[in-house]
Amino acid sequence: MASVIRIKPYHYIHVLDNNANVTRVEFGPQTFTRKDHEQVLLQPTPMVMIPPRHYCIIANPILREDGEPVFEENGNVKLRHGDEEIRFEQEPFPLFPGESLKGKVQALQVVAPNAALRLRAIRDFTDGDVKRVAGDEWLWEGPGTYKPRIEVQVVEIIRATIIKPNEALQLRARKACVDRNDITRAAGEEWLVRKSGAYLPAVDEEVVNTVKAHVLTDKKALHLRAIKTFTDVYRQHRKAGAEWLVGLTDAEIHIPDVNEEVVGEVRITTLTNRQYVVVLDPIGKDGKPQLGLKQLRKGPVSFFLRPGERLEQGIQSIQVLGSEEALLLRAREAVKEGETTKQPGDRWMIYGPCDYVPPVEVEIVEKRRAIALDQTEGIYVRDITTGKVRAVIGQSYMLNPSEELWEKDLPDTVEELLSKRGRGGARDKTKVVSFRAPHNTAVQIYDYKDKKARVVFGPELVMLGPDEHFTVLSLSGDKPKRPHVIKDIALQLGPDFMTDVVTVETADHARLSLKLSYNWYFAVEKTDKGDAEKIFQVPDFVGDGCKAIASRVRGAVAQASFDDFHKKSARIIRSAVFGVDDKDKIKSHFHFAANNLVITNIDIQSVEPVDQRTRDSLQKSVQLAIEITTNSQEASARHEAARLEQEARGRLERQQITDQAEAEKARKRLLQLQAQSAAVESTGQATAEAKARAEAAQIEGEAAVEMAKLKAKSTKIRSEADLEDLQFKQEAEIAHRRALDELELRKAKTLADIESGKFNSTVSAIGPDTIAAIAQAGPEMQAKLLAGLGIKSLLITDGSSPINLFNTAQGLVSNK
């Protein structure tokens, strides 16, 4: 270790005296010589320098009195152990033994405007005139530079909140305090700061939220509810749970208080002069809802629905009734209508044309219109007081107050049949059921009230009364007949036919399947009521008729053998069904007395064996008959073919002889024609050659003449063209020369005008006086004058003697 230490300015060292066990500080600048019993504990170290607006924290600082260090009896400096000291701007200073720099030298904290430091006391001390206790908190508001203290801790930086127009700041008290408006606040209490600008919360205040204002217009109001009892900004006492409206008449904007909650915005309800509303539970003059009451409001008017009020059916239009319209009304409570008083439950009607607004004591049951009915249309009307139902047909009808439309239900089968015959779609059950009975049909209608039936023959329109129903026919169908296959309302009167398959057995036990077709009709007198009802006495006339005929056919076939039946099937079946008269002649028809059904004819369409053996025997018989017939037809065909062959061979030979004769005649004519052709050929060749030579000579001559004419014509055309070309060239050259001459003339005239103008301008510029002075000057001046005028030479003579130029110039000036 060096014994001599050079300490620079603003540096220091710590020296330990081993004999006295005392540590001291040596400052620079100096040259320190260490003694043998001394030890340098700290090498030369720069002093602590605190710039302006900075500070540092010294741990275990020394104790001072009047600014000087306090030493113990043994010579060591006295320290405040465990304590700290904040030092600000000062001269550089050393750290005494035991002192230490906590952290670094830091700049002082600058608090901006609209900001503050939240400070907390960590030990008891006196701040000016204020005594602080550990745990106390307060604000140090800017702008300014904060100088820290050991007793104070900076908790946080609080910045002011900007309250914009139409905004408010919601605050909450952390503990009981007095706010900036000197109002005592309890812990947890909330309030609003409505003043615009920067607001710095106090130390015991915290910002909860920024509340925005609701803009109120003439078409919008605010629905509020009180959270607890308080007095609002309009100095109105509000109880907890109370609801009210704030509109434009109260303020243009509204900032909800902390004790208010916004239920919603209420739009204005506007009614025209053709509208009205019914308000339920209206607010009375005392501001309380009148529960259970109703209020009628007619337009034109605009209003806000107050809390608790509601519209019964929204905005309704005034009922406008035409001349064919009416309103069915019912009284909810006693009401005076005109000169009469209506009791609750009474029903009456208002007829048009008119406008009607129902009072709150009256309800509109329905709007009715006169129902226009054609002669073929009707409706069912029920009297609700008596229960009687009647049909109104063929007139325009308006229901009475005690009447209503009645729906007539029909069985599903009838509904299905009507929809098939109608236009489809759902049937209007209040309209009279109608059915168009087709031609030659009958429809039975039964009245369950009068217990009577009536029959309508088509073509006719059937209209059911309230207690009437159609008689549905359930007929057999298919082959063989099965019951309840055909459903219908109209009964066909015929004539028509029906087909059935009947299984019979012959006397020799051959089972056959007969397909029979029956022609039938109903023999009915339409004017006779009893006769008309008789045709509906048998519900299934098809099934019963087919069964009756089949029974007769089976009985007749059972008495005949298969061969007899096969030969006489038609007679057997007809005689069995129709019967025979006294002359053993088959009758013409079969009459069913129960319903006047008449069978007029039977057609046997097919007979097929049922047993396989019978079918095989019949097939063999048929095959044998077919074979015999086939052989007979083949023999006849062979004989006919041989006869036709002999006839054809005779006709062929005769034709051959005739053809040979005709061929000889043709050969003779050919030879004659050949001879004539040879003679004509020799004569015609010489004549043709002579004519050809003559025609050739004529054509050559005509061609030569024509060529000469064409050459002369072409020469003439060429000469005329050359002449015209020459004439055009000469005319163009003359025109060009004339144009050039005109241009030269205009150019010469223009140049002359320019020279003349130039001379006149020069003379005018010089002036008569100047020219006179020049004329009076000597020859030199006259020469300059002439040069200035641009005249090189001028000669004026009469032909015999020259003229002096200067005298001429003077003459010109005098003439000017």
Side-chain angles (χ1 to χ4, degrees), residues 416-713:
E416 184 178 355
L417 293 174
L418 290 177
S419 63
K420 288 181 179 179
R421 289 181 176 268
R423 298 179 180 177
R427 179 181 65 88
D428 187 355
K429 295 183 179 182
T430 62
K431 290 187 176 182
V432 171
V433 179
S434 61
F435 176 74
R436 299 183 184 275
H439 176 70
N440 201 28
T441 60
V443 179
Q444 187 182 44
I445 300 98
Y446 186 79
D447 191 334
Y448 284 87
K449 182 178 180 181
D450 297 336
K451 296 182 179 180
K452 294 180 181 180
R454 61 187 177 97
V455 177
V456 178
F457 292 95
E460 185 64 50
L461 179 65
V462 181
M463 304 185 75
L464 295 185
D467 301 310
E468 291 182 336
H469 284 273
F470 291 109
T471 299
V472 180
L473 300 175
S474 180
L475 305 178
S476 299
D478 211 348
K479 303 170 188 177
K481 289 292 182 282
R482 293 185 297 107
H484 309 299
V485 174
I486 301 173
K487 302 284 186 181
D488 205 345
I489 297 175
L491 175 64
Q492 299 289 338
L493 299 179
D496 203 346
F497 70 93
M498 53 187 174
T499 304
D500 192 14
V501 175
V502 181
T503 302
V504 298
E505 186 173 356
T506 61
D508 50 359
H509 305 291
R511 300 187 62 194
L512 303 175
S513 176
L514 306 180
K515 187 175 182 182
L516 306 177
S517 179
Y518 316 125
N519 291 81
W520 59 268
Y521 73 94
F522 281 100
V524 58
E525 183 63 35
K526 297 181 180 180
T527 57
D528 187 354
K529 182 178 179 181
D531 203 16
E533 292 179 354
K534 194 174 182 180
I535 61 176
F536 288 95
Q537 294 297 324
V538 179
D540 185 5
F541 76 92
V542 175
D544 292 352
C546 289
K547 288 179 182 177
I549 295 174
S551 175
R552 292 193 174 199
V553 171
R554 291 191 190 96
V557 174
Q559 299 175 6
S561 64
F562 175 74
D563 292 337
D564 292 340
F565 178 75
H566 188 66
K567 296 176 182 178
K568 305 175 182 178
S569 59
R571 179 173 180 79
I572 293 174
I573 293 175
R574 290 176 181 274
S575 60
V577 175
F578 298 136
V580 294
D581 55 10
D582 298 337
K583 299 179 181 180
D584 198 23
K585 185 178 179 182
I586 299 174
K587 296 181 180 180
S588 61
H589 64 274
F590 175 40
H591 181 261
F592 289 88
N595 59 348
N596 288 337
L597 177 66
V598 178
I599 307 297
T600 60
N601 188 24
I602 297 178
D603 180 21
I604 304 172
Q605 295 182 349
S606 66
V607 178
E608 295 181 359
V610 177
D611 296 337
Q612 186 65 33
R613 290 183 304 167
T614 306
R615 185 176 302 172
D616 294 341
S617 300
L618 181 61
Q619 187 174 4
K620 289 180 181 178
S621 173
V622 171
Q623 289 178 354
L624 182 60
I626 292 172
E627 184 176 355
I628 293 171
T629 304
T630 303
N631 293 333
S632 174
Q633 291 177 352
E634 287 180 354
S636 299
R638 284 196 297 273
H639 177 72
E640 184 67 19
R643 184 179 65 80
L644 294 175
E645 184 180 359
Q646 291 295 330
E647 292 178 356
R649 187 177 294 111
R651 287 196 301 271
L652 179 60
E653 291 177 355
R654 186 171 57 191
Q655 186 66 31
Q656 288 178 353
I657 296 171
T658 303
D659 291 342
Q660 288 177 359
E662 292 293 331
E664 290 298 330
K665 293 179 179 180
R667 187 178 296 107
K668 179 181 178 182
R669 288 196 300 271
L670 177 61
L671 293 175
Q672 293 176 353
L673 292 173
Q674 286 178 352
Q676 292 177 0
S677 176
V680 169
E681 184 178 356
S682 59
T683 305
Q685 183 175 2
T687 304
E689 289 179 357
K691 288 182 179 180
R693 285 194 296 271
E695 289 179 357
Q698 183 180 0
I699 290 171
E700 287 179 358
E702 292 177 354
V705 172
E706 187 67 24
M707 185 178 294
K709 290 180 180 179
L710 291 175
K711 285 182 179 180
K713 188 175 181 180

Side-chain angles (χ1 to χ4, degrees), residues 192 332 362 536 712 731 795:
L192 294 180
R332 295 172 175 168
V362 177
F536 288 95
E731 290 177 354
L795 180 62

Side-chain angles (χ1 to χ4, degrees), residues 164-422:
K164 300 178 182 179
N166 299 336
E167 287 185 350
L169 196 63
Q170 184 177 353
L171 302 177
R172 182 189 295 121
R174 291 193 175 98
K175 62 180 181 179
C177 62
V178 179
D179 63 9
R180 293 185 181 274
N181 296 325
D182 296 331
I183 299 175
T184 302
R185 303 292 184 182
E189 182 180 353
E190 295 182 358
W191 68 97
L192 294 180
V193 177
R194 302 173 184 270
K195 185 178 179 181
S196 299
Y199 182 82
L200 188 64
V203 66
D204 296 324
E205 299 173 355
E206 62 177 346
V207 178
V208 178
N209 191 16
T210 299
V211 181
K212 295 186 178 296
H214 293 265
V215 179
L216 305 177
T217 64
D218 57 348
K219 296 182 180 179
K220 182 175 69 175
L222 206 58
H223 182 187
L224 302 177
R225 182 188 294 121
I227 300 175
K228 63 179 183 179
T229 303
F230 76 108
T231 301
D232 61 11
V233 294
Y234 309 111
R235 302 185 184 278
Q236 298 292 327
H237 185 70
R238 306 294 183 183
K239 293 185 178 181
E243 296 182 3
W244 67 98
L245 285 183
V246 176
L248 186 62
T249 56
D250 300 317
E252 294 182 354
I253 61 170
H254 179 77
I255 301 176
D257 197 82
V258 294
N259 298 316
E260 301 171 350
E261 65 174 342
V262 178
V263 179
E265 292 182 350
V266 179
R267 295 287 177 178
I268 193 170
T269 301
T270 302
L271 303 179
T272 65
N273 59 351
R274 309 299 296 171
Q275 292 177 331
Y276 71 96
V277 294
V278 177
V279 181
L280 302 179
D281 304 332
I283 303 298
K285 295 181 179 180
D286 56 354
K288 296 181 180 180
Q290 300 174 340
L291 301 178
L293 296 183
K294 298 180 180 180
Q295 185 180 28
L296 177 65
R297 298 179 185 178
K298 301 179 183 179
V301 67
S302 296
F303 61 91
F304 291 100
L305 283 177
R306 302 177 68 180
E309 295 181 340
R310 52 196 175 89
L311 301 181
E312 186 176 27
Q313 294 181 357
I315 298 177
Q316 305 179 55
S317 298
I318 293 177
Q319 298 291 338
V320 180
L321 302 178
S323 59
E324 298 294 328
E325 294 178 332
L327 288 178
L328 177 61
L329 307 177
R330 180 169 54 217
R332 295 172 175 168
E333 53 187 271
V335 59
K336 188 173 183 180
E337 184 74 18
E339 297 180 356
T340 61
T341 301
K342 303 294 184 182
Q343 299 300 323
D346 285 353
R347 294 161 61 103
W348 71 99
M349 293 181 69
I350 297 292
Y351 296 92
C354 66
D355 293 343
Y356 183 74
V357 178
V360 295
E361 298 86 2
V362 177
E363 67 172 335
I364 299 175
V365 179
E366 64 179 351
K367 185 175 183 180
R368 291 181 173 178
R369 184 186 298 273
I371 304 173
L373 301 174
D374 193 9
Q375 295 296 328
T376 60
E377 295 178 333
I379 56 173
Y380 296 111
V381 178
R382 177 176 177 268
D383 192 326
I384 60 176
T385 57
T386 62
K388 183 179 179 180
V389 181
R390 62 191 179 92
V392 179
I393 301 173
Q395 61 178 331
S396 179
Y397 187 75
M398 172 73 76
L399 295 176
N400 295 326
S402 60
E403 293 179 342
E404 65 179 2
L405 292 176
W406 181 73
E407 293 185 354
K408 181 177 179 62
D409 293 324
L410 296 176
D412 296 337
T413 304
V414 177
E415 291 280 7
E416 184 178 355
L417 293 174
L418 290 177
S419 63
K420 288 181 179 179
R421 289 181 176 268

